[in-house]
Each structure stands twice: as structure tokens, then as C-alpha cells.
């Protein structure tokens, strides 16, 4: 029995934008009880970009999207699906995607929505966009990860504020040239892990007066989950297509901690030079981290036509996910 042929879709262009303000570990150490030595040795982070009041999520997302459209050689009018992955939207409503749509001048018939899977948000949005493209209802998608994590941090809490940064990254997905295309995706979430990583304030749940409302994390537990989940989902994804880690030319993992990236390399049995990392310069930009890293990897010439690329992430939820792309 023959199955209907699903056309192939892939990444046609990438773009990114980070705020201009660079904040080094030494600068942070002036206001928080920490040091460059502690932060760098535990996380690999040297500096991060922090947004000012003028750098809204919309502003960062639009700049990243324009760069991705230019890279793809497409006009905004070609886009009919826009997903913004973020857990720090400009407003609870309307969706950031509609604000980005207006600034980019996308057609009224564009499907626009935000998606929150925290640091796994970009991979969730990538999978969703692929499914909608494959359904035949859309032709070209803009998938953006954009975050202003600086707004949800307690800048007196050294255990969290040193880890994160702000930024945006975008990809354009569309019909793939022969031989390339998205190969497989896989998503998941572990029930009952709410309290390991959360922002307790800002939603509709009332908070007791004086209760903390900033990002909270049980770092050690999250670390262990990150390594295990990214290793497992990577292996499952590859096995689902009869592939092994050795087939992967480049892994672009969520940029949370260089030690986590080194651990996954070890678990997968891959040399570290098959990984792309820029966490040293941006910190953890949550949903923006993979598209920001993917864009830098492309511009650095790390991806060649035909390469098998693995995107893999974890985040609050706890969520996890991966995507395999034949470049
Ligand atoms: N500067 C100096 N000391 C710090 C510090 C900082 N910024 N943050 C924590 N410390 C201290 C702690 O207070 C603790 O001191 P104590 O032993 O006197 O109690 C000590 O350093 C060790 O803390 P610990 O939390 O055990 O360190 P760690 O080696 O586990 O590293 C993380 C902490 C957060 C870097 C690490 O657990 C991690 O990266 N976890 C994953 C987080 C993550 O990826 N989050 C994003 C999810 S998308």
C-alpha cells in the first residue's frame, strides 16, 4: 500500500538579534556576591546581552525575522504562518506574533500565535510549524524564539541571575530543495516537575503578599534532567530513522551551560567539535538560544549542504525536544 507523498520542508534562512548591551561576569560581580571564576568554571558563561526598555521582544523578534527573510531571499508577503516561542512576551495579550506580524507587514491571512514551552519553546515551535506545513495548509513559516529573561530574574539571587540573557533568533521554513529537509522531530514533558524550574508570578494565579515572583530553579536536579533528557531524545530521534549519533555532522543544543553540552557529547560518544556553543557570549536566552546559535553556526560556515543537523533542548515543564534536519 503506498502512502501519500508528503513534500519536504526545511530551513531556508536564519537570522538573529541580541541587544547591544554586553554585561560581563565582572560587571555582575559588582552588584551580586559572585565572580567571573565561579560563573565561568560552573557554566562556561563569560558575558550576556541585556535588553533595555527600547529592546522589546517584538523589536528583537522583528530584527531577527528580517535577517532570516533576507537570508532566505523571501519577501514578508510569502509568509503565511508565524510562531513566536517565548515565555517572556511583551504582553499577556495580544500574542507577540501579532505584533511582529504588524511590524513585518505580513499578510492578514497569516496564522499568528505564541507558544510557551520555556527553553524548549523553539523546538516545540519548529515541530508545530513543520506539521502545519506538511498538512498542506501553509507554504512558508517564520519560527522565532525571542526572550527578555532579564525581566523575570531576581537580580539579587546569584544562583539564577548570572545564568540568563536576552535575545532573539528566527528561521524561515519552506519547501526543501531535493536531498534536504526536516527528517524527524520528537517532543515531551515530564509530569509533576513544576517546582524544579518556574516563574511563580505574572500569571493569573494569585500570589501571597511578599511571595517571590521571579524565576526559581533547583539547579542540580535540572542539570541531571537536562543531560539525561537530551541524550535520550537524541538517540530516540536518530533510531527512529535508522541513524546513530555518528551520522550527525553538527549538534546545536540549547545553550544553558557548557558543562551540560560537554556531558551530552560524552553520553552520545561524539567529539566536542561536532557541537556548536555560544553560551559563553549570551548565557541562556531560553527559547531564543537554539535559533541564535543556529544562525551563528550558519554564518561561521559550520553547516554544509547534506549535513545531518540535530537541534536538541530542555526547559521548564520539564519539557524536552529534538529535531533532525538534513541541511
Ligand atoms: N556565584 C558564587 N557562588 C554561587 C553562585 C554564584 N553565582 N551560585 C551559587 N553559588 C554557590 C552556592 O550558594 C553553593 O554554595 P554552598 O556550597 O556554600 O551552599 C555553591 O555555589 C554550589 O552551588 P550548586 O548549586 O551546588 O552549584 P552547581 O555546581 O550545581 O552549579 C548551576 C549551579 C546552576 C550552574 C548548575 O546546577 C546548573 O547549571 N544547573 C542547570 C541549570 C540550567 O541549565 N537551567 C536552565 C534550564 S533551561
Amino acid at each position: 500500500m503506498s502512502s501519500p507523498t508528503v513534500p519536504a520542508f526545511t530551513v531556508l534562512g536564519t537570522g538573529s538579534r541580541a541587544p547591544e548591551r554586553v554585561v560581563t561576569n565582572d560587571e555582575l560581580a559588582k552588584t551580586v556576591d559572585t565572580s567571573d571564576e565561579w560563573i565561568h568554571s560552573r557554566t562556561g558563561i563569560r558575558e550576556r546581552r541585556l535588553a533595555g526598555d527600547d529592546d522589546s521582544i517584538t523589536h528583537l523578534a522583528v530584527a531577527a525575522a528580517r535577517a532570516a527573510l533576507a537570508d532566505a531571499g523571501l519577501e514578508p508577503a510569502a509568509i503565511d504562518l508565524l510562531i513566536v516561542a517565548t515565555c517572556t512576551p511583551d504582553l499577556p495579550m495580544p500574542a507577540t506574533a501579532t505584533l511582529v506580524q504588524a511590524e513585518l507587514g505580513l499578510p492578514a491571512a497569516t496564522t499568528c500565535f505564541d507558544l510557551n514551552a520555556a527553553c524548549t519553546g523553539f523546538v516545540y515551535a519548529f515541530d508545530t510549524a513543520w506539521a502545519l506545513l506538511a498538512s498542506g495548509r501553509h507554504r512558508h513559516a517564520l519560527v522565532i524564539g525571542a526572550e527578555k529573561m532579564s525581566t523575570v530574574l531576581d537580580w539579587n539571587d546569584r544562583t539564577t541571575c548570572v545564568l540568563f540573557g536576552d535575545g532573539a533568533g528566527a528561521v524561515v521554513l519552506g519547501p526543501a530543495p531535493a536531498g534536504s529537509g526536516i527528517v524527524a522531530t520528537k517532543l515531551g514533558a515530564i509530569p509533576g516537575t513544576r517546582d524544579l524550574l518556574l516563574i511563580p508570578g505574572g500569571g493569573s494565579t494569585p500570589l501571597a503578599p511578599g511571595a517571590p515572583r521571579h524565576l526559581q530553579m533547583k539547579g542540580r536536579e535540572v542539570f541531571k534532567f537536562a543531560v539525561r533528557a537530551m541524550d535520550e531524545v537524541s538517540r530516540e530521534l536518530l533510531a527512529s530513522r535508522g541513524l546513530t549519533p555518528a551520522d550527525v555532522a553538527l549538534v546545536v543544543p540549547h545553550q544553558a551551560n557548557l558543562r551540560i553540552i560537554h556531558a551530552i557529547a560524552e553520553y552520545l560518544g561524539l567529539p566536542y567539535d561536532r557541537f556548536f556553543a555560544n553560551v559563553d557570549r549570551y548565557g541562556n536566552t531560553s527559547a531564543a538560544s537554539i535559533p541564535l546559535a543556529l544562525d551563528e553556526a550558519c554564518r561561521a560556515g559550520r553547516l554544509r549542504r547534506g549535513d545531518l543537523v540535530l537541534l536538541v533542548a530542555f526547559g521548564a515543564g520539564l519539557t524536552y525536544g529534538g529535531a533532525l534536519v538534513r541541511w
Side-chain angles (χ1 to χ4, degrees):
M1 203 171 80
S2 66
S3 57
T5 309
V6 179
F9 293 91
T10 197
V11 176
L12 302 179
T14 65
S16 60
R17 171 63 69 94
E20 283 182 9
R21 186 172 160 227
V22 176
V23 177
T24 63
N25 293 343
D26 284 333
E27 274 177 86
L28 274 188
K30 289 180 189 158
T31 53
V32 192
D33 181 14
T34 189
S35 65
D36 177 54
E37 198 283 318
W38 192 96
I39 301 170
H40 187 252
S41 65
R42 294 298 217 289
T43 70
I45 298 167
R46 284 282 189 206
E47 60 190 37
R48 72 284 297 138
R49 303 292 189 93
L50 296 186
D53 291 344
D54 291 344
D55 291 314
S56 66
I57 292 300
T58 303
H59 171 215
L60 294 170
V62 164
R66 285 204 173 110
L69 283 165
D71 191 36
L74 286 175
E75 294 298 323
I79 299 297
D80 53 12
L81 171 63
L82 167 59
I83 310 177
V84 177
T86 185
C87 59
T88 53
D90 282 334
L91 304 167
M93 70 177 198
T96 309
T98 62
L99 309 177
V100 172
Q101 174 205 23
E103 281 210 29
L104 283 177
L106 302 188
T110 309
T111 300
C112 298
F113 61 94
D114 289 3
L115 186 156
N116 179 357
C119 297
T120 321
F122 179 79
V123 177
Y124 264 70
F126 191 91
D127 166 89
T128 305
W130 183 36
L132 288 170
L133 292 171
S135 76
R137 289 162 56 195
H138 299 278
R139 184 89 178 145
H140 290 105
L142 247 179
V143 182
I144 306 173
E147 300 282 15
K148 211 166 156 180
M149 295 304 287
S150 55
T151 60
V152 294
L153 299 171
D154 174 354
W155 286 98
N156 295 311
D157 177 5
R158 67 178 183 174
T159 68
T160 52
C161 76
V162 303
L163 304 174
F164 294 89
D166 302 330
V171 299
V172 175
L173 300 182
S180 66
I182 302 168
V183 176
T185 54
K186 187 165 174 50
L187 308 175
I190 311 293
T193 54
R194 182 195 100 124
D195 291 344
L196 294 184
L197 181 51
L198 81 163
I199 302 168
S204 57
T205 302
L207 275 177
R213 48 189 69 232
H214 294 105
L215 184 145
Q216 297 168 17
M217 181 175 65
K218 296 197 167 66
R220 283 196 178 180
E221 283 96 323
V222 173
F223 191 108
K224 284 183 211 149
F225 163 77
V227 177
R228 196 177 60 245
M230 289 204 284
D231 173 51
E232 282 175 13
V233 75
S234 301
R235 287 179 184 283
E236 286 167 14
L237 256 181
L238 289 160
S240 74
R241 294 294 183 269
L243 298 162
T244 71
D247 294 310
V248 177
L250 190 72
V251 184
V252 182
H254 173 45
Q255 308 285 313
N257 183 324
L258 208 55
R259 280 164 55 215
I260 293 177
I261 298 176
H262 277 286
I264 309 162
E266 201 172 306
Y267 273 52
L268 290 176
L270 286 177
Y272 182 67
D273 63 10
R274 296 223 203 145
F275 285 72
F276 187 83
N278 61 6
V279 65
D280 55 325
R281 288 175 290 118
Y282 297 103
N284 179 348
T285 58
S286 189
S289 94
I290 286 186
L292 220 166
L294 187 62
D295 184 46
E296 288 204 341
C298 289
R299 284 173 210 296
R302 294 285 301 271
L303 288 162
R304 297 212 169 74
R305 207 54 201 284
D307 278 355
L308 189 65
V309 182
L310 170 63
L311 314 178
V312 63
F314 69 97
L318 294 172
T319 51
Y320 61 87
L324 270 180
V325 184
R326 181 68 68 187
W327 210 252

